[in-house]
Amino acid sequence: MAKILIFGNKSTARETFFYFKYFSSDEVAGFTVDKEYVESDTLFGLPVLPFDNIDTIFSPKEYRMVIAVGYLQSNRLREERYNQSKKLGYNLINFISPKAVMHPETQIGDNCIIGHFTVVSPDAKIGNNVIISSGCVISHDVIVGDHCFFSPGVSIAGSVKIGSGSFLGTNATVRNKVSIGKECVIGAGAIILSDAKDRGVYVAEPATLIPISSNELPHK
C-alpha cells in the first residue's frame, strides 16, 4: 500500500480522491496546490498544503504523488507540475479503474488516470501524465502522447496517433489511421476523418433548434 499526495483541489482531484478511496488499496494522505489556490486547510478531512515546500512536509522517500488537474491552460499546468514533482523526487502513481478493461501488457507511462468502463485494446501505447475519463474506447495500435486529456465517451479507432498535450471532448470520434497533432483541441461530438494539425481546434456542428415544441411532436 502506497501513501499518496494528490496535486489539485478541484473536480479532477476530488474525483481522483474517490477513485483511490473506493477502488484502490493505496491511501491518500493529503492534497497540495499552488499556494495562491489553497482555499481551505482541509479537503475531505485531509490537509491541503502549498506545493512550494511540499517535499519538506511529505518526503518523496515516503510518499508518492498523482497530478490530478484537468484541461487547464491546454494541459500545460498538469505538464508543468508533473515535471516539477519528478524533479523533487516524487514517484508518480497511476490509477487504473478495476472496472476498466486493459490488456495486461499495455504500455503505459506514469501519472495516468483511467476511469471506469474504459476499454484499451492490445498493442495500444499510452504516454505519461494522461487522463482518460470513463467510457472511452482506445483501439488497437493507438499511440497516445504525453499530457493528453480524454473526456468521457471518446472513441479512437485503430492505428491512430495522438500528439502530446491534446484534448478530446466528450464523445469525440477519430477514425482509423488518422494522426492528431500536438496540443490539438477536438471538441465534444466532433468526428475526425483526416489528419489534424498541431494546435488545431476542431468543433462539431451544434444541434439545430427546430420551430416546434416537444409536446407537439407526433406520438407515432
Side-chain angles (χ1 to χ4, degrees):
M1 182 181 74
K3 294 184 289 185
I4 301 166
L5 295 172
I6 296 176
F7 182 96
N9 59 359
K10 299 298 184 183
S11 57
T12 301
R14 292 164 186 255
E15 183 176 32
T16 300
F17 168 78
F18 287 113
Y19 278 158
F20 279 105
K21 180 177 181 178
Y22 293 110
F23 300 99
S24 172
S25 61
D26 298 323
E27 178 184 1
V28 177
F31 297 83
T32 182
V33 293
D34 294 348
K35 181 168 57 178
E36 59 269 33
Y37 295 105
V38 176
E39 299 173 347
S40 172
D41 293 337
T42 62
L43 179 60
F44 302 126
L46 299 173
V48 180
L49 299 167
F51 183 67
D52 310 59
N53 60 344
I54 191 65
D55 57 320
T56 66
I57 303 170
F58 288 103
S59 169
K61 295 180 180 179
E62 298 181 38
Y63 294 86
R64 302 175 76 180
M65 192 177 292
V66 58
I67 313 299
V69 176
Y71 180 66
L72 293 173
Q73 302 174 18
S74 300
N75 290 317
R76 283 190 292 273
L77 178 62
R78 195 171 74 257
E79 179 179 355
E80 289 171 2
R81 298 302 174 268
Y82 169 85
N83 290 328
Q84 290 170 345
S85 298
K86 291 182 79 72
K87 286 181 180 179
L88 290 173
Y90 286 100
N91 289 321
L92 298 177
I93 194 169
N94 293 337
F95 174 81
I96 300 173
S97 169
K99 297 178 182 294
V101 178
M102 290 191 65
H103 192 274
E105 297 180 3
T106 298
Q107 295 185 35
I108 183 170
D110 59 1
N111 201 69
C112 291
I113 299 172
I114 297 180
H116 302 322
F117 310 114
T118 280
V119 176
V120 180
S121 296
D123 299 317
K125 298 178 181 178
I126 299 171
N128 301 310
N129 197 28
V130 173
I131 295 178
I132 300 178
S133 301
S134 297
C136 295
V137 176
I138 312 297
S139 298
H140 65 88
D141 300 299
V142 169
I143 299 174
V144 178
D146 298 339
H147 317 301
C148 290
F149 187 100
F150 290 59
S151 298
V154 169
S155 294
I156 309 296
S159 302
V160 167
K161 295 181 180 179
I162 299 176
S164 62
S166 288
F167 168 85
L168 289 89
T170 301
N171 290 328
T173 299
V174 182
R175 70 166 293 177
N176 62 309
K177 300 181 180 179
V178 162
S179 292
I180 304 296
K182 296 179 181 179
E183 299 177 19
C184 272
V185 173
I186 310 298
I191 299 174
I192 303 299
L193 301 178
S194 59
D195 292 352
K197 66 180 184 179
D198 290 352
R199 301 178 183 85
V201 178
Y202 299 82
V203 297
E205 290 292 333
T208 300
L209 175 65
I210 63 173
I212 186 173
S213 171
S214 60
N215 60 12
E216 298 176 287
L217 291 172
H219 297 291
K220 294 183 180 181

